[in-house]
Amino acid sequence: MFLYVEDADHRPVYQQLRDQVVEAIARGEIGEGTRLPTTRQLAVDLGLNFHTVARAYDLLRQEGYLQVGRKVGASVHVRRGPPNAEWHAELRVLLAAAYAKGMSSEEIVTACREATQGFGRAAEPKDSLA
Amino acid sequence: MIAWIDAVLLLLLGCGYYWMPDAVHPTLPFGVRVPPGRERDPAVSAAKRTYRQVLAPLTLAGIALALLNTSPIVAAGLPALFLLVAYGNFYVAHRAVRAAKLKGDWYAGQRTATVAQVGAPASLRRYPWGLLAVAALVIAATAWIGVAHYAQLPAILPTHFGANGKANGFSAKSPLSAFLLVIVQIVQTAGLALLGYVQPRMRQDLDPAAPVASLARHRAFQVVMTQMLVVLAIGVDISLLLGSLRMWAVGPAYNPMLNVAPVLIVTAYAVWAGVRVGQGGNRMAAGQAEEATGRVHRDDDAGWIGGAIYFNRSDPAFLVPRRFGVGWTLNFGHPTAWIALVALVALIIAVPSLRHR
């Protein structure tokens, strides 16, 4: 799996990283137990400040996607349940924005279906990816 | 003798620099980052043509000078001078491409990004322990021969040889002076072996436009590089072994200048290996096609001074891949780089001065 940091993206870097990890889990590219690089290693690989990566990992840990050990680094460990307290509210706003801008209900549902098309569960617990 | 070594060295350098534009990633002509699609821009092709048209006669002139020269001082200075002029030639091409990029606003509308791979780290199993064992064997053999002959060594040892093969520098016999070259063997082997070990763990500058292929190439490149570094160490160790034999007057007498032959051979091999695989493995096979990512490598000319020296305080890496050439260069904005440089210079100064105790 590859992590990108796009220069033109309006989202802050830590948000880009967090979003990509979440999407990768949803697509089954990484699963329970997958090891992520250490904060330092990922920062070096992406040419980022250590704190930016630490922030992304911290956010993922708080939201219940990662488990961060002292020596072992970060590994995927999903805490089942609602993604976060605001998820439903944010979803309503997102869909409302689409509807308000002129998308029909059917188009919205189709878009949702297409988005979830690529989702799947990871095949088996992977220790790391080649 | 020196004239021939000089000439061969200049030939190697000239050939190396001549092929260099093909060794680097196509999107990095002469140390200038360009977006995919601009690799064959007329400005880039023109710069490449001019660069080679100047370099070829320059190299021939240098070789001719080396062969005709009789002064050792000039012989020592010729490679350095050649490197300087070769850099000037590179810099002209560098400026030309940069100017074209700015003028044409080549990065307008490009979706630039950085990419990193999340997955298995470089495997330790791939380290060429066998080759390292060969180097260790050479060092052990040298030390063993030295120990065996130590008692019979004269009180004054020849530690420096002139171009004519006659000794012109001496020092009193002591374990330090007698085994000086063995110490150098150990230090240089350890240094190169360590670099070979560390380099797969450094930042891989992957291409966001084709990360899968980029990663495969980098992996293969790292294996070749580590191997090449250890082979280089072996060649230097053999030369130092020959030098030690000369110092201890063991074995048949011959012109000590021939001792550099192993080093030249492995250097030629290193150059060939580098040209064959290209920087980052650029010249290695592509593998299967991958879907387009729509992203391109970030325009990262910033921090590169004169297209060759890297100075970036905010980059945590102290060793980064070269922009023009195969291998790595120091990040002079990182304190560790200066420490390493000072240590190296101190070592180079200390070793000859130790000889003349």
Side-chain angles (χ1 to χ4, degrees):
Chain A
M1 176 198 140
F2 294 98
L3 282 176
Y4 296 85
V5 171
E6 287 196 35
D7 302 322
D9 201 310
H10 63 276
R11 293 171 295 167
V13 175
Y14 77 88
Q15 190 71 46
Q16 290 185 46
L17 295 178
R18 176 259 177 200
D19 291 352
Q20 285 178 76
V21 171
V22 170
E23 286 189 68
I25 295 173
R27 280 196 303 270
E29 283 171 15
I30 57 180
E32 192 67 29
T34 305
R35 295 269 279 276
L36 293 181
T38 60
T39 328
R40 202 201 70 87
Q41 184 63 50
L42 193 58
V44 165
D45 286 343
L46 288 170
L48 297 172
N49 192 310
F50 167 90
H51 295 291
T52 308
V53 179
R55 194 168 171 188
Y57 275 22
D58 208 46
L59 184 58
L60 287 161
R61 188 187 51 80
Q62 280 174 16
E63 292 179 328
Y65 296 102
L66 285 191
Q67 210 170 37
V68 183
R70 212 168 257 299
K71 293 276 180 170
V72 295
S75 61
V76 175
H77 174 71
V78 181
R79 207 170 54 223
R80 302 278 168 185
N84 58 39
E86 303 86 21
W87 187 77
H88 281 101
E90 285 170 5
L91 179 68
R92 266 204 309 282
V93 174
L94 203 61
L95 300 181
Y99 192 86
K101 282 290 208 164
M103 274 178 86
S104 69
S105 297
E106 293 79 34
E107 285 172 322
I108 293 173
V109 171
T110 309
C112 289
R113 196 168 293 125
E114 281 170 5
T116 55
Q117 203 83 47
F119 290 178
R121 303 286 171 200
E124 72 277 324
K126 295 182 195 167
D127 192 30
S128 56
L129 286 171
Chain B
M1 185 35 58
I2 286 193
W4 282 103
I5 294 173
D6 232 16
V8 168
L9 189 61
L10 286 174
L11 181 67
L12 283 176
L13 287 173
C15 287
Y17 276 107
Y18 190 91
W19 288 112
M20 208 67 86
D22 288 338
V24 297
H25 200 277
T27 58
L28 209 48
F30 299 106
V32 182
R33 183 72 68 180
V34 304
R38 292 285 182 183
E39 304 98 311
R40 274 182 263 289
D41 189 279
V44 174
S45 311
K48 204 164 160 182
R49 232 183 349 260
T50 312
Y51 171 85
R52 286 185 164 155
Q53 279 165 1
V54 170
L55 189 61
L58 204 74
T59 308
L60 291 173
I63 292 173
L65 251 168
L67 291 172
L68 293 171
N69 170 50
T70 49
S71 153
I73 300 170
V74 173
L78 216 50
L81 184 66
F82 180 81
L83 284 173
L84 208 65
V85 180
Y87 170 73
N89 188 27
F90 156 83
Y91 187 68
V92 168
H94 170 81
R95 293 285 296 203
V97 177
R98 244 185 121 165
K101 176 169 96 171
L102 272 158
K103 185 156 163 239
D105 198 11
W106 288 356
Y107 271 92
Q110 296 281 356
R111 203 169 142 203
T112 59
T114 321
V115 65
Q117 189 244 352
V118 168
S123 173
L124 234 152
R125 264 169 282 133
R126 297 282 223 133
Y127 193 85
W129 296 108
L131 286 175
L132 192 61
V134 171
L137 224 67
V138 173
I139 298 175
T142 315
W144 184 73
I145 295 172
V147 167
H149 283 87
Y150 189 74
Q152 295 100 329
L153 290 178
I156 308 264
L157 292 170
T159 50
H160 197 269
F161 292 86
N164 54 4
K166 295 249 183 338
N168 55 15
F170 300 88
S171 20
K173 165 177 159 182
S174 74
L176 184 62
S177 64
F179 289 97
L180 190 63
L181 295 185
V182 175
I183 295 172
V184 176
Q185 277 179 329
I186 294 171
V187 171
Q188 75 90 18
T189 304
L192 289 177
L194 194 66
L195 180 60
Y197 181 81
V198 157
Q199 59 96 4
R201 286 151 186 79
M202 299 192 303
R203 175 178 60 206
Q204 302 170 337
D205 194 21
L206 300 180
D207 181 10
V212 176
S214 183
L215 183 66
R217 285 191 176 118
H218 265 86
R219 288 241 165 99
F221 172 75
Q222 277 151 7
V223 171
V224 171
M225 279 296 109
T226 304
Q227 232 167 51
M228 184 272 282
L229 286 169
V230 182
V231 168
L232 210 56
I234 292 175
V236 176
D237 283 342
I238 294 176
S239 278
L240 290 169
L241 163 61
L242 296 176
S244 292
L245 293 181
R246 213 45 300 133
M247 188 199 289
W248 304 325
V250 172
Y254 57 86
N255 190 329
M257 298 307 295
L258 286 170
N259 290 345
V260 297
V263 175
L264 283 179
I265 292 171
V266 290
T267 304
Y269 159 74
V271 170
W272 171 79
V275 168
R276 186 171 62 90
V277 302
Q279 174 70 315
N282 290 319
R283 293 169 64 84
M284 298 173 102
Q288 72 271 69
E290 57 190 289
E291 56 177 70
T293 60
R295 295 137 166 147
V296 303
H297 196 290
R298 170 187 295 167
D299 187 3
D300 57 348
D301 286 353
W304 288 92
I305 304 170
I309 296 182
Y310 189 56
F311 187 99
N312 189 349
R313 272 196 224 281
S314 53
D315 190 339
F318 88 92
L319 210 59
V320 297
R322 279 183 190 275
R323 293 272 271 195
F324 188 72
V326 182
W328 308 268
T329 185
L330 294 167
N331 174 7
F332 288 99
H334 198 294
T336 313
W338 289 101
I339 295 170
L341 204 62
V342 166
L344 192 67
V345 170
L347 218 66
I348 293 174
I349 294 177
V351 169
S353 70
L354 278 172
R355 274 207 298 225
H356 294 131
R357 276 281 179 75

